[in-house]
Amino acid sequence: MAKKYKYGLVLSGGGTRGFAHLGAIKALEENRIKPEIVSGVSAGSIIGAFYADGQEPEKIMDTLISKKLLAFVNIIFPKKGLLKMTGFERTMRGSLRAKRFEDLQIPLFVHAVNINTVEYTRFEKGDLVQAIKASSSIPVVFPPVEIDGHQYLDGGIVNNFPIEPLTDICEKVIGINVNPVGEAYHINKLSTIAIRSFHLSMRNHAEIRKDQCHIYIEPEEVQKYGILDLKSAEAVFEAGYKHTIEVLKP
């Protein structure tokens, strides 16, 4: 039986390392590989939303940098998180043409964890930005996001490589993991320790699922950049692009 989509795309979380997703997508398109459906979590949900909205990788890059979408982190000490996502929702709504999942040009799955019911939740309809915000809310670092009376956090807690929705409906699945974890030093801030601990906890999510991908992309160079390092966005984009070109060589 023929599957519904030729190419499906999985986008992992990874903070500002997510710019590597854009470089990788650019390389895929240059090789005439055009994903028709996207499953993303955290940073992958942000990039996935812009791509599913019909925007080109380099245009998305320019938008994210010019509007400083990921420079929303202000250090505060609220009851539910160490940092506040100031202006995130407003900027996302102003940058995306689609307001709801149903308005996107291609289907998108966004994942978050319902911390009330302890369920890994897939969003695919309704308010787009609220789901992305929930999917991107790193625990402890950011406060939970409330949707329909339930509290949600970053889906990467449970699965930072959400390939499962695509395996039965796509002929080929392309996976991009921008969260390789290597050695790190100078870990001396509470927020840095929290972020590092979070990413260490999900380092194996892609590893145990990558064999289900027909094309697997993991640019190791991005591990030298911090996950909230907006200044390195262009270098991260380029790392994703160059690595994907290498992966796609005959």
Side-chain angles (χ1 to χ4, degrees), residues 219-235:
E220 291 186 5
E221 187 178 346
V222 303
Q223 66 186 296
K224 68 183 182 182
Y225 301 107
I227 66 167
L228 294 176
D229 182 7
L230 189 65
K231 293 181 292 185
S232 300
E234 293 181 357

Side-chain angles (χ1 to χ4, degrees), residues 11 39-45 101 108-124 127-139 143-147 150-162 165 198:
L11 301 177
S39 178
V41 64
S42 198
S45 73
F101 282 88
L108 171 70
F109 299 141
V110 167
H111 302 82
V113 175
N114 184 324
I115 59 175
N116 298 112
T117 63
V118 201
E119 294 178 313
Y120 189 66
T121 304
R122 183 175 81 199
F123 295 95
E124 54 185 297
D127 189 290
L128 177 61
V129 172
Q130 195 72 353
I132 296 168
K133 187 177 175 183
S135 181
S136 305
S137 186
I138 300 172
V145 174
E146 183 172 333
I147 299 176
H150 288 257
Q151 300 289 311
Y152 291 89
L153 286 173
D154 193 318
I157 302 169
V158 174
N159 181 2
N160 195 46
F161 197 74
F198 176 60

Side-chain angles (χ1 to χ4, degrees), residues 22 25 29 34 46-64 67 92-98 104-106 128:
L22 293 173
I25 291 170
E29 292 195 337
K34 181 79 172 176
I46 297 173
I47 301 302
F50 278 96
Y51 186 68
D53 198 39
Q55 301 188 35
E56 297 296 324
E58 289 176 311
K59 180 181 183 298
I60 299 168
M61 177 78 172
D62 291 341
T63 297
L64 295 179
K67 296 196 175 183
M92 285 291 290
R93 292 193 187 281
S95 303
L96 290 167
R97 294 185 291 256
L104 294 167
Q105 293 190 16
I106 64 173
L128 177 61

Side-chain angles (χ1 to χ4, degrees), residues 21-226:
H21 286 316
L22 293 173
I25 291 170
K26 178 185 176 183
L28 289 170
E29 292 195 337
E30 286 180 356
N31 282 269
R32 298 182 181 178
I33 298 173
K34 181 79 172 176
E36 300 164 292
I37 185 169
V38 181
S39 178
V41 64
S42 198
S45 73
I46 297 173
I47 301 302
F50 278 96
Y51 186 68
D53 198 39
Q55 301 188 35
E56 297 296 324
E58 289 176 311
K59 180 181 183 298
I60 299 168
M61 177 78 172
D62 291 341
T63 297
L64 295 179
I65 292 177
S66 64
K67 296 196 175 183
K68 299 184 178 179
L69 177 62
L70 300 177
F72 51 74
V73 180
N74 292 333
I75 297 178
I76 59 170
F77 295 94
K79 294 180 180 179
K80 297 184 179 179
L82 298 178
L83 305 175
K84 186 177 180 181
M85 300 167 77
T86 306
F88 178 85
E89 184 172 350
R90 180 180 64 251
T91 304
M92 285 291 290
R93 292 193 187 281
S95 303
L96 290 167
R97 294 185 291 256
K99 306 305 177 188
R100 299 173 62 82
F101 282 88
E102 294 87 342
D103 302 327
L104 294 167
Q105 293 190 16
I106 64 173
L108 171 70
F109 299 141
V110 167
H111 302 82
V113 175
N114 184 324
I115 59 175
N116 298 112
T117 63
V118 201
E119 294 178 313
Y120 189 66
T121 304
R122 183 175 81 199
F123 295 95
E124 54 185 297
K125 60 183 180 180
D127 189 290
L128 177 61
V129 172
Q130 195 72 353
I132 296 168
K133 187 177 175 183
S135 181
S136 305
S137 186
I138 300 172
V140 181
V141 180
F142 299 121
V145 174
E146 183 172 333
I147 299 176
D148 296 332
H150 288 257
Q151 300 289 311
Y152 291 89
L153 286 173
D154 193 318
I157 302 169
V158 174
N159 181 2
N160 195 46
F161 197 74
I163 191 173
E164 288 79 3
L166 303 183
T167 53
D168 290 335
I169 60 174
C170 298
E171 293 179 17
K172 295 183 179 181
V173 177
I174 304 157
I176 307 175
N177 176 36
V178 297
N179 191 49
V181 180
E183 295 182 2
Y185 301 94
H186 307 295
I187 304 173
N188 51 15
K189 294 181 180 179
L190 183 57
S191 59
T192 305
I193 293 170
I195 292 169
R196 178 73 172 173
S197 299
F198 176 60
H199 281 274
L200 285 171
S201 73
M202 55 186 191
R203 66 186 302 176
N204 291 327
H205 294 175
E207 189 67 26
I208 63 175
R209 292 172 172 85
K210 67 181 183 181
D211 289 342
Q212 299 177 58
C213 296
H214 297 82
I215 301 173
Y216 182 71
I217 299 163
E218 184 182 272
E220 291 186 5
E221 187 178 346
V222 303
Q223 66 186 296
K224 68 183 182 182
Y225 301 107

